[in-house]
PDB file of all heavy atoms in Angstrom:
ATOM      1  N   GLU A 145       9.959 -20.143  -1.971  1.00 95.00           N
ATOM      2  CA  GLU A 145      10.456 -21.354  -1.284  1.00 95.00           C
ATOM      3  C   GLU A 145      10.928 -21.013   0.121  1.00 95.00           C
ATOM      4  O   GLU A 145      10.733 -21.798   1.061  1.00 95.00           O
ATOM      5  CB  GLU A 145      11.596 -21.948  -2.086  1.00 95.00           C
ATOM      6  CG  GLU A 145      11.182 -22.642  -3.380  1.00 95.00           C
ATOM      7  CD  GLU A 145      10.182 -23.799  -3.071  1.00 95.00           C
ATOM      8  OE1 GLU A 145      10.482 -24.603  -2.180  1.00 95.00           O
ATOM      9  OE2 GLU A 145       9.161 -23.882  -3.819  1.00 95.00           O
ATOM     10  N   LYS A 146      11.531 -19.832   0.325  1.00 95.00           N
ATOM     11  CA  LYS A 146      11.921 -19.427   1.639  1.00 95.00           C
ATOM     12  C   LYS A 146      10.706 -19.140   2.558  1.00 95.00           C
ATOM     13  O   LYS A 146      10.653 -19.555   3.712  1.00 95.00           O
ATOM     14  CB  LYS A 146      12.774 -18.127   1.565  1.00 95.00           C
ATOM     15  CG  LYS A 146      14.151 -18.315   0.926  1.00 95.00           C
ATOM     16  CD  LYS A 146      14.877 -16.997   0.862  1.00 95.00           C
ATOM     17  CE  LYS A 146      16.208 -17.139   0.135  1.00 95.00           C
ATOM     18  NZ  LYS A 146      16.899 -15.832   0.021  1.00 95.00           N
ATOM     19  N   LEU A 147       9.703 -18.448   1.995  1.00 96.00           N
ATOM     20  CA  LEU A 147       8.544 -18.016   2.764  1.00 96.00           C
ATOM     21  C   LEU A 147       7.678 -19.181   3.207  1.00 96.00           C
ATOM     22  O   LEU A 147       7.087 -19.130   4.268  1.00 96.00           O
ATOM     23  CB  LEU A 147       7.755 -17.009   1.971  1.00 96.00           C
ATOM     24  CG  LEU A 147       8.392 -15.657   1.737  1.00 96.00           C
ATOM     25  CD1 LEU A 147       7.593 -14.805   0.811  1.00 96.00           C
ATOM     26  CD2 LEU A 147       8.657 -14.936   3.068  1.00 96.00           C
ATOM     27  N   LYS A 148       7.615 -20.246   2.404  1.00 91.00           N
ATOM     28  CA  LYS A 148       6.693 -21.328   2.743  1.00 91.00           C
ATOM     29  C   LYS A 148       7.139 -22.097   3.972  1.00 91.00           C
ATOM     30  O   LYS A 148       6.370 -22.829   4.555  1.00 91.00           O
ATOM     31  CB  LYS A 148       6.469 -22.274   1.550  1.00 91.00           C
ATOM     32  CG  LYS A 148       7.586 -23.226   1.282  1.00 91.00           C
ATOM     33  CD  LYS A 148       7.154 -24.138   0.137  1.00 91.00           C
ATOM     34  CE  LYS A 148       8.130 -25.279  -0.129  1.00 91.00           C
ATOM     35  NZ  LYS A 148       7.709 -26.152  -1.219  1.00 91.00           N
ATOM     36  N   ASN A 149       8.388 -21.886   4.388  1.00 91.00           N
ATOM     37  CA  ASN A 149       8.886 -22.558   5.588  1.00 91.00           C
ATOM     38  C   ASN A 149       8.545 -21.773   6.865  1.00 91.00           C
ATOM     39  O   ASN A 149       8.862 -22.230   7.972  1.00 91.00           O
ATOM     40  CB  ASN A 149      10.404 -22.716   5.499  1.00 91.00           C
ATOM     41  CG  ASN A 149      10.794 -23.705   4.380  1.00 91.00           C
ATOM     42  OD1 ASN A 149      10.149 -24.726   4.185  1.00 91.00           O
ATOM     43  ND2 ASN A 149      11.859 -23.360   3.670  1.00 91.00           N
ATOM     44  N   LEU A 150       7.953 -20.612   6.722  1.00 95.00           N
ATOM     45  CA  LEU A 150       7.599 -19.799   7.907  1.00 95.00           C
ATOM     46  C   LEU A 150       6.479 -20.395   8.720  1.00 95.00           C
ATOM     47  O   LEU A 150       6.365 -20.184   9.917  1.00 95.00           O
ATOM     48  CB  LEU A 150       7.221 -18.380   7.520  1.00 95.00           C
ATOM     49  CG  LEU A 150       8.366 -17.508   6.947  1.00 95.00           C
ATOM     50  CD1 LEU A 150       7.821 -16.132   6.564  1.00 95.00           C
ATOM     51  CD2 LEU A 150       9.492 -17.385   7.937  1.00 95.00           C
ATOM     52  N   GLY A 151       5.592 -21.151   8.079  1.00 91.00           N
ATOM     53  CA  GLY A 151       4.532 -21.831   8.804  1.00 91.00           C
ATOM     54  C   GLY A 151       3.418 -20.912   9.315  1.00 91.00           C
ATOM     55  O   GLY A 151       2.759 -21.215  10.285  1.00 91.00           O
ATOM     56  N   CYS A 152       3.252 -19.782   8.618  1.00 96.00           N
ATOM     57  CA  CYS A 152       2.166 -18.866   9.016  1.00 96.00           C
ATOM     58  C   CYS A 152       1.490 -18.322   7.741  1.00 96.00           C
ATOM     59  O   CYS A 152       1.908 -18.616   6.613  1.00 96.00           O
ATOM     60  CB  CYS A 152       2.690 -17.709   9.842  1.00 96.00           C
ATOM     61  SG  CYS A 152       3.856 -16.660   8.997  1.00 96.00           S
ATOM     62  N   THR A 153       0.416 -17.589   7.904  1.00 97.00           N
ATOM     63  CA  THR A 153      -0.275 -16.995   6.776  1.00 97.00           C
ATOM     64  C   THR A 153       0.630 -15.950   6.118  1.00 97.00           C
ATOM     65  O   THR A 153       1.295 -15.169   6.786  1.00 97.00           O
ATOM     66  CB  THR A 153      -1.587 -16.318   7.272  1.00 97.00           C
ATOM     67  OG1 THR A 153      -2.410 -17.278   7.847  1.00 97.00           O
ATOM     68  CG2 THR A 153      -2.325 -15.646   6.106  1.00 97.00           C
ATOM     69  N   LEU A 154       0.639 -15.995   4.787  1.00 98.00           N
ATOM     70  CA  LEU A 154       1.467 -15.070   4.008  1.00 98.00           C
ATOM     71  C   LEU A 154       0.587 -14.115   3.220  1.00 98.00           C
ATOM     72  O   LEU A 154      -0.469 -14.498   2.683  1.00 98.00           O
ATOM     73  CB  LEU A 154       2.357 -15.858   3.035  1.00 98.00           C
ATOM     74  CG  LEU A 154       3.248 -16.941   3.635  1.00 98.00           C
ATOM     75  CD1 LEU A 154       3.976 -17.705   2.528  1.00 98.00           C
ATOM     76  CD2 LEU A 154       4.268 -16.362   4.616  1.00 98.00           C
ATOM     77  N   VAL A 155       0.998 -12.855   3.118  1.00 98.00           N
ATOM     78  CA  VAL A 155       0.217 -11.857   2.403  1.00 98.00           C
ATOM     79  C   VAL A 155       1.180 -11.142   1.420  1.00 98.00           C
ATOM     80  O   VAL A 155       2.259 -10.689   1.784  1.00 98.00           O
ATOM     81  CB  VAL A 155      -0.408 -10.813   3.351  1.00 98.00           C
ATOM     82  CG1 VAL A 155      -1.315  -9.906   2.582  1.00 98.00           C
ATOM     83  CG2 VAL A 155      -1.138 -11.520   4.452  1.00 98.00           C
ATOM     84  N   PHE A 156       0.736 -11.030   0.128  1.00 97.00           N
ATOM     85  CA  PHE A 156       1.520 -10.369  -0.887  1.00 97.00           C
ATOM     86  C   PHE A 156       0.685  -9.323  -1.614  1.00 97.00           C
ATOM     87  O   PHE A 156      -0.514  -9.474  -1.724  1.00 97.00           O
ATOM     88  CB  PHE A 156       1.975 -11.364  -1.938  1.00 97.00           C
ATOM     89  CG  PHE A 156       2.598 -12.651  -1.407  1.00 97.00           C
ATOM     90  CD1 PHE A 156       1.905 -13.809  -1.355  1.00 97.00           C
ATOM     91  CD2 PHE A 156       3.886 -12.643  -0.942  1.00 97.00           C
ATOM     92  CE1 PHE A 156       2.408 -15.005  -0.887  1.00 97.00           C
ATOM     93  CE2 PHE A 156       4.493 -13.819  -0.472  1.00 97.00           C
ATOM     94  CZ  PHE A 156       3.722 -14.991  -0.450  1.00 97.00           C
ATOM     95  N   TYR A 157       1.371  -8.313  -2.147  1.00 97.00           N
ATOM     96  CA  TYR A 157       0.772  -7.434  -3.115  1.00 97.00           C
ATOM     97  C   TYR A 157       1.242  -7.863  -4.498  1.00 97.00           C
ATOM     98  O   TYR A 157       2.330  -8.440  -4.686  1.00 97.00           O
ATOM     99  CB  TYR A 157       1.248  -5.982  -2.931  1.00 97.00           C
ATOM    100  CG  TYR A 157       0.599  -5.264  -1.738  1.00 97.00           C
ATOM    101  CD1 TYR A 157       1.146  -4.100  -1.257  1.00 97.00           C
ATOM    102  CD2 TYR A 157      -0.563  -5.734  -1.163  1.00 97.00           C
ATOM    103  CE1 TYR A 157       0.554  -3.386  -0.216  1.00 97.00           C
ATOM    104  CE2 TYR A 157      -1.206  -5.041  -0.130  1.00 97.00           C
ATOM    105  CZ  TYR A 157      -0.621  -3.886   0.360  1.00 97.00           C
ATOM    106  OH  TYR A 157      -1.154  -3.203   1.385  1.00 97.00           O
ATOM    107  N   GLU A 158       0.411  -7.630  -5.504  1.00 97.00           N
ATOM    108  CA  GLU A 158       0.824  -7.919  -6.895  1.00 97.00           C
ATOM    109  C   GLU A 158       0.070  -6.989  -7.866  1.00 97.00           C
ATOM    110  O   GLU A 158      -1.057  -6.598  -7.610  1.00 97.00           O
ATOM    111  CB  GLU A 158       0.585  -9.358  -7.242  1.00 97.00           C
ATOM    112  CG  GLU A 158       1.278  -9.801  -8.514  1.00 97.00           C
ATOM    113  CD  GLU A 158       2.767  -9.429  -8.545  1.00 97.00           C
ATOM    114  OE1 GLU A 158       3.057  -8.275  -8.890  1.00 97.00           O
ATOM    115  OE2 GLU A 158       3.599 -10.258  -8.206  1.00 97.00           O
ATOM    116  N   SER A 159       0.741  -6.679  -8.975  1.00 95.00           N
ATOM    117  CA  SER A 159       0.133  -5.828  -9.970  1.00 95.00           C
ATOM    118  C   SER A 159      -0.693  -6.673 -10.953  1.00 95.00           C
ATOM    119  O   SER A 159      -0.500  -7.905 -11.053  1.00 95.00           O
ATOM    120  CB  SER A 159       1.216  -5.081 -10.753  1.00 95.00           C
ATOM    121  OG  SER A 159       1.896  -5.961 -11.600  1.00 95.00           O
ATOM    122  N   CYS A 160      -1.535  -6.019 -11.719  1.00 95.00           N
ATOM    123  CA  CYS A 160      -2.349  -6.750 -12.688  1.00 95.00           C
ATOM    124  C   CYS A 160      -1.489  -7.349 -13.814  1.00 95.00           C
ATOM    125  O   CYS A 160      -1.874  -8.323 -14.449  1.00 95.00           O
ATOM    126  CB  CYS A 160      -3.395  -5.789 -13.307  1.00 95.00           C
ATOM    127  SG  CYS A 160      -2.715  -4.336 -14.113  1.00 95.00           S
ATOM    128  N   HIS A 161      -0.269  -6.796 -14.016  1.00 96.00           N
ATOM    129  CA  HIS A 161       0.591  -7.236 -15.097  1.00 96.00           C
ATOM    130  C   HIS A 161       1.286  -8.553 -14.745  1.00 96.00           C
ATOM    131  O   HIS A 161       1.677  -9.320 -15.665  1.00 96.00           O
ATOM    132  CB  HIS A 161       1.661  -6.179 -15.398  1.00 96.00           C
ATOM    133  CG  HIS A 161       1.109  -4.840 -15.654  1.00 96.00           C
ATOM    134  ND1 HIS A 161       0.332  -4.550 -16.766  1.00 96.00           N
ATOM    135  CD2 HIS A 161       1.177  -3.678 -14.918  1.00 96.00           C
ATOM    136  CE1 HIS A 161      -0.032  -3.288 -16.749  1.00 96.00           C
ATOM    137  NE2 HIS A 161       0.442  -2.705 -15.622  1.00 96.00           N
ATOM    138  N   ARG A 162       1.436  -8.840 -13.448  1.00 97.00           N
ATOM    139  CA  ARG A 162       2.177 -10.057 -13.052  1.00 97.00           C
ATOM    140  C   ARG A 162       1.359 -11.048 -12.246  1.00 97.00           C
ATOM    141  O   ARG A 162       1.844 -12.084 -11.834  1.00 97.00           O
ATOM    142  CB  ARG A 162       3.458  -9.681 -12.256  1.00 97.00           C
ATOM    143  CG  ARG A 162       4.502  -8.950 -13.042  1.00 97.00           C
ATOM    144  CD  ARG A 162       5.824  -8.859 -12.247  1.00 97.00           C
ATOM    145  NE  ARG A 162       5.607  -8.135 -11.005  1.00 97.00           N
ATOM    146  CZ  ARG A 162       5.658  -6.789 -10.887  1.00 97.00           C
ATOM    147  NH1 ARG A 162       5.905  -6.048 -11.942  1.00 97.00           N
ATOM    148  NH2 ARG A 162       5.478  -6.231  -9.705  1.00 97.00           N
ATOM    149  N   ILE A 163       0.099 -10.756 -12.048  1.00 98.00           N
ATOM    150  CA  ILE A 163      -0.721 -11.585 -11.164  1.00 98.00           C
ATOM    151  C   ILE A 163      -0.769 -13.049 -11.614  1.00 98.00           C
ATOM    152  O   ILE A 163      -0.654 -13.978 -10.822  1.00 98.00           O
ATOM    153  CB  ILE A 163      -2.149 -11.001 -10.973  1.00 98.00           C
ATOM    154  CG1 ILE A 163      -2.928 -11.831  -9.982  1.00 98.00           C
ATOM    155  CG2 ILE A 163      -2.881 -10.875 -12.289  1.00 98.00           C
ATOM    156  CD1 ILE A 163      -2.398 -11.837  -8.554  1.00 98.00           C
ATOM    157  N   LEU A 164      -0.951 -13.275 -12.915  1.00 97.00           N
ATOM    158  CA  LEU A 164      -1.079 -14.639 -13.420  1.00 97.00           C
ATOM    159  C   LEU A 164       0.245 -15.402 -13.239  1.00 97.00           C
ATOM    160  O   LEU A 164       0.252 -16.562 -12.837  1.00 97.00           O
ATOM    161  CB  LEU A 164      -1.522 -14.616 -14.914  1.00 97.00           C
ATOM    162  CG  LEU A 164      -2.900 -14.052 -15.143  1.00 97.00           C
ATOM    163  CD1 LEU A 164      -3.224 -14.070 -16.644  1.00 97.00           C
ATOM    164  CD2 LEU A 164      -3.967 -14.839 -14.372  1.00 97.00           C
ATOM    165  N   ALA A 165       1.347 -14.755 -13.592  1.00 97.00           N
ATOM    166  CA  ALA A 165       2.670 -15.392 -13.453  1.00 97.00           C
ATOM    167  C   ALA A 165       2.963 -15.713 -11.984  1.00 97.00           C
ATOM    168  O   ALA A 165       3.482 -16.793 -11.664  1.00 97.00           O
ATOM    169  CB  ALA A 165       3.765 -14.509 -14.021  1.00 97.00           C
ATOM    170  N   THR A 166       2.595 -14.787 -11.108  1.00 98.00           N
ATOM    171  CA  THR A 166       2.845 -15.015  -9.662  1.00 98.00           C
ATOM    172  C   THR A 166       1.999 -16.171  -9.137  1.00 98.00           C
ATOM    173  O   THR A 166       2.463 -16.989  -8.359  1.00 98.00           O
ATOM    174  CB  THR A 166       2.548 -13.743  -8.860  1.00 98.00           C
ATOM    175  OG1 THR A 166       3.477 -12.729  -9.271  1.00 98.00           O
ATOM    176  CG2 THR A 166       2.655 -13.965  -7.382  1.00 98.00           C
ATOM    177  N   LEU A 167       0.741 -16.240  -9.600  1.00 98.00           N
ATOM    178  CA  LEU A 167      -0.141 -17.336  -9.159  1.00 98.00           C
ATOM    179  C   LEU A 167       0.392 -18.679  -9.679  1.00 98.00           C
ATOM    180  O   LEU A 167       0.268 -19.706  -8.975  1.00 98.00           O
ATOM    181  CB  LEU A 167      -1.555 -17.126  -9.635  1.00 98.00           C
ATOM    182  CG  LEU A 167      -2.315 -15.992  -8.932  1.00 98.00           C
ATOM    183  CD1 LEU A 167      -3.634 -15.705  -9.610  1.00 98.00           C
ATOM    184  CD2 LEU A 167      -2.531 -16.346  -7.454  1.00 98.00           C
ATOM    185  N   GLU A 168       0.956 -18.684 -10.874  1.00 97.00           N
ATOM    186  CA  GLU A 168       1.577 -19.927 -11.389  1.00 97.00           C
ATOM    187  C   GLU A 168       2.708 -20.377 -10.465  1.00 97.00           C
ATOM    188  O   GLU A 168       2.841 -21.561 -10.124  1.00 97.00           O
ATOM    189  CB  GLU A 168       2.111 -19.681 -12.784  1.00 97.00           C
ATOM    190  CG  GLU A 168       1.072 -19.462 -13.857  1.00 97.00           C
ATOM    191  CD  GLU A 168       0.459 -20.769 -14.358  1.00 97.00           C
ATOM    192  OE1 GLU A 168       0.803 -21.837 -13.829  1.00 97.00           O
ATOM    193  OE2 GLU A 168      -0.336 -20.716 -15.315  1.00 97.00           O
ATOM    194  N   ASP A 169       3.517 -19.463 -10.009  1.00 97.00           N
ATOM    195  CA  ASP A 169       4.647 -19.775  -9.155  1.00 97.00           C
ATOM    196  C   ASP A 169       4.179 -20.200  -7.763  1.00 97.00           C
ATOM    197  O   ASP A 169       4.762 -21.074  -7.122  1.00 97.00           O
ATOM    198  CB  ASP A 169       5.590 -18.591  -9.017  1.00 97.00           C
ATOM    199  CG  ASP A 169       6.304 -18.326 -10.358  1.00 97.00           C
ATOM    200  OD1 ASP A 169       6.418 -19.245 -11.189  1.00 97.00           O
ATOM    201  OD2 ASP A 169       6.748 -17.175 -10.571  1.00 97.00           O
ATOM    202  N   ILE A 170       3.096 -19.577  -7.267  1.00 97.00           N
ATOM    203  CA  ILE A 170       2.505 -19.956  -5.965  1.00 97.00           C
ATOM    204  C   ILE A 170       2.019 -21.394  -6.059  1.00 97.00           C
ATOM    205  O   ILE A 170       2.174 -22.202  -5.177  1.00 97.00           O
ATOM    206  CB  ILE A 170       1.430 -18.968  -5.537  1.00 97.00           C
ATOM    207  CG1 ILE A 170       2.065 -17.662  -5.110  1.00 97.00           C
ATOM    208  CG2 ILE A 170       0.585 -19.567  -4.402  1.00 97.00           C
ATOM    209  CD1 ILE A 170       1.062 -16.570  -4.783  1.00 97.00           C
TER     210      ILE A 170
END
Side-chain angles (χ1 to χ4, degrees):
E145 287 300 314
K146 291 178 183 178
L147 292 174
K148 78 176 186 179
N149 294 320
L150 291 179
C152 64
T153 300
L154 306 174
V155 187
F156 312 102
Y157 283 164
E158 193 51 277
S159 73
C160 58
H161 308 293
R162 291 191 301 274
I163 184 64
L164 296 178
T166 295
L167 288 172
E168 291 279 6
D169 292 337
I170 288 174

